[in-house]
Amino acid sequence: MKRQLRQSGAGVCQLCEHLLSQRQTGLNQIRRFPRVSVATSPSISAPCIQQRRSTFTKRGDTARNHGGNRPPIAKAPQDVSSTAKVLGESQLHPSLASDFQPDALDASSALEATKKILRMESVPPEQAIIEALGPVKLFADRIAAISDLKPPKSEQETTPNASLLSLEESSPTGSKPALASTSETHHVPVLLKEEVDAVSGTIVELMMYPPVFITPNILNIVVDIQTLLQRPQTLPRILSLYANKPMPHPNTTPIKFSNPDPNKAQFAVPLPTASAALQSAITLRDLSLCLSIIYNTVATPSFRNNKFLRKGLVPCTALAVAPVAGFAVATRLSELQNTMDPQTATAIAFGGIVTYLGATVGIGLVALTTSNDQMNRVTWAQGIPLRQRWLREEERAALDQVAAAWGFREVERRGEEEGEEWLELKEWIGTKGMILDRVELMEGME
């Protein structure tokens, strides 16, 4: 037929008409024969039906006998390792499936690495603890890779009830406060929860082990592991041990300990570590956990002392030395003139230098401590000294981040939040010398 069409040079429209006419002719021929029931038709006898069934059975047996190339039916895994393998292959992204190793989801290697440290009777060095946390970090990375991946949209539920629920959650006028953070909560697979709990508990046990001294590097790795394992509930306890745990003395038998001073600057939790811990608590939507992390990190006296040593000691030292340097400069300037007495010239020059430095430093200090461009919802109450405002700025920023996560996203709806958790947060902020949603600073309330 194709050869005939090519020879005739039929156009596109004629070709379509020809195909439609052929299809219509076939349908008419099918409709011409009435439907006959096999069980009720008198023209088809029972022996004939039995003969056809036996023929079909023989054909099916022949196909099964010659079907050696068919793949075998997959059986359900019978052990934990095969279950983890199936779980990894089904939930991991194709780019990760090629590099997937079933042993990576086995917590035995991670537990054994930490138990080696727990069996040590002497003070383990920092490098040994970091190497022991390596398999634990690998296990946590694999768990996070499985938990963070979502099924494609085509595989998600598309029932009418699911559509209504999705519209209700995405509605900007919902009654519940919307989480402003873009982070999403992902859950650990059910088959791996016991292993995750065991690994997380072993990490806490390792941090509580008396011979282990928690350094900033170890604390950062532990916080990262607990965040990947989605177990931030253990972080307040670990952060408290970082500053209050007795310090072991190496090369002593038996091991001697000394009580540390938690207010010293060296026991301050690094700001990146504190931010990562707070973000994991916000992702978990646990307000009490967020406040506990803030209380043990940026709200401690050691953190304020550490900030003063890092950022305030050098400017204060320069300000204290400035009058001496100014007097030396004024004395030198008095020798370059002959219009007045050298003592008078020195006093005038020294007064001018001190006045210039005092005015410049004073204006800069006021501008630095009273700036509020970075403030979103939490501001300082009246009467708080400028020195305290500067030293506690990270604490205010952390509470501001929590308030933004628990409040409405829309600026025009700020102040409408209610509920037990919101009142608790507002009261906590008030006890710290801060104000949540000051009226004169809100949108349209100038």
Side-chain angles (χ1 to χ4, degrees):
M1 183 181 69
K2 292 182 180 180
R3 187 177 301 173
Q4 294 178 0
L5 290 175
R6 289 176 183 175
Q7 293 177 359
S8 61
V12 178
C13 297
Q14 295 179 0
L15 177 61
C16 296
E17 291 179 359
H18 176 72
L19 294 176
L20 291 176
S21 61
Q22 291 286 59
R23 181 179 181 183
Q24 188 67 26
T25 304
L27 292 175
N28 293 333
Q29 292 177 358
I30 293 174
R31 294 191 185 117
R32 200 171 296 164
F33 297 97
R35 296 182 179 179
V36 180
S37 176
V38 177
T40 58
S41 177
S43 60
I44 303 177
S45 59
C48 182
I49 296 175
Q50 186 67 24
Q51 182 180 2
R52 290 186 179 182
R53 288 180 179 176
S54 62
T55 304
F56 293 153
T57 304
K58 292 180 180 179
R59 290 180 180 177
D61 296 337
T62 305
R64 282 191 293 269
N65 294 331
H66 294 281
N69 296 329
R70 291 186 179 181
I73 299 175
K75 296 183 180 180
Q78 301 296 331
D79 53 354
V80 178
S81 60
S82 59
T83 303
K85 184 176 181 180
V86 173
L87 179 63
E89 293 177 352
S90 61
Q91 296 192 15
L92 283 177
H93 194 268
S95 61
L96 297 175
S98 58
D99 300 332
F100 176 75
Q101 299 176 358
D103 296 338
L105 290 178
D106 189 6
S108 60
S109 59
L111 295 175
E112 183 62 26
T114 55
K115 288 180 180 179
K116 289 181 179 179
I117 303 296
L118 295 176
R119 287 192 292 264
M120 297 179 63
E121 298 180 357
S122 59
V123 179
E126 179 184 3
Q127 188 61 31
I129 300 176
I130 294 176
E131 292 177 358
L133 293 175
V136 184
K137 183 65 166 57
L138 177 61
F139 175 79
D141 289 335
R142 293 293 180 174
I143 293 296
I146 295 177
S147 303
D148 290 344
L149 295 174
K150 285 186 174 182
K153 292 184 178 180
S154 59
E155 298 179 3
Q156 294 180 355
E157 187 178 4
T158 57
T159 60
N161 293 334
S163 303
L164 292 176
L165 291 175
S166 62
L167 290 175
E168 182 180 356
E169 292 177 357
S170 60
S171 176
T173 59
S175 58
K176 295 183 179 180
L179 181 62
S181 177
T182 56
S183 60
E184 299 178 352
T185 303
H186 307 298
H187 300 283
V188 176
V190 179
L191 295 177
L192 300 174
K193 279 189 175 181
E194 294 183 358
E195 297 182 352
V196 169
D197 292 337
V199 172
S200 179
T202 306
I203 293 296
V204 177
E205 186 180 357
L206 179 64
M207 295 296 101
M208 294 179 62
Y209 190 51
V212 172
F213 178 70
I214 306 176
T215 61
N217 294 332
I218 295 176
L219 180 65
N220 187 24
I221 296 174
V222 168
V223 170
D224 191 13
I225 290 175
Q226 297 289 14
T227 301
L228 293 175
L229 294 179
Q230 302 178 13
R231 296 296 184 271
Q233 300 88 346
T234 61
L235 293 180
R237 190 174 186 179
I238 297 174
L239 295 172
S240 178
L241 289 173
Y242 178 72
N244 298 280
K245 184 180 179 181
M247 299 174 56
H249 295 280
N251 301 326
T252 57
T253 305
I255 302 176
K256 296 182 180 180
F257 299 90
S258 60
N259 294 324
D261 185 5
N263 296 332
K264 286 186 176 181
Q266 61 180 354
F267 296 111
V269 178
L271 185 59
T273 304
S275 301
L278 180 60
Q279 185 59 44
S280 64
I282 292 176
T283 305
L284 193 63
R285 300 291 293 172
D286 191 338
L287 180 60
S288 300
L289 181 60
C290 293
L291 299 181
S292 299
I293 291 176
I294 293 175
Y295 179 79
N296 289 283
T297 53
V298 294
T300 57
S302 60
F303 187 87
R304 296 192 291 268
N305 296 335
N306 182 273
K307 181 179 180 180
F308 176 76
L309 292 177
R310 289 185 297 104
K311 297 183 179 181
L313 182 60
V314 175
C316 291
T317 304
L319 184 62
V321 177
V324 179
F327 183 80
V329 173
T331 304
R332 182 59 181 169
L333 291 176
S334 65
E335 297 176 357
L336 300 178
Q337 56 85 31
N338 54 7
T339 58
M340 63 181 68
D341 186 47
Q343 289 80 9
T344 304
T346 302
I348 293 175
F350 179 71
I353 293 174
V354 171
T355 302
Y356 174 78
L357 291 177
T360 304
V361 172
I363 294 175
L365 182 62
V366 171
L368 177 64
T369 55
T370 59
S371 61
N372 58 359
D373 295 337
Q374 77 281 3
M375 301 180 185
N376 186 18
R377 305 193 65 170
V378 179
T379 56
W380 293 106
Q382 295 182 357
I384 301 299
L386 298 181
R387 176 177 57 87
Q388 291 291 332
R389 294 187 181 189
W390 178 74
L391 289 175
R392 298 173 56 194
E393 174 59 27
E394 286 76 13
E395 179 183 357
R396 187 214 59 80
L399 291 173
D400 201 350
Q401 185 179 358
V402 174
W406 256 257
F408 287 115
R409 295 179 182 176
E410 298 81 3
V411 179
E412 60 274 5
R413 297 196 62 186
R414 291 182 177 179
E416 300 179 4
E417 293 89 353
E418 58 184 9
E420 183 179 354
E421 287 190 344
W422 186 257
L423 294 178
E424 179 185 356
L425 177 61
K426 194 171 185 179
E427 183 179 357
W428 176 278
I429 293 175
T431 57
K432 299 297 181 179
M434 308 173 196
I435 298 177
L436 177 60
D437 291 337
R438 179 178 289 182
V439 178
E440 57 267 25
L441 297 180
M442 296 178 66
E443 190 74 18
M445 295 294 181
E446 296 82 357

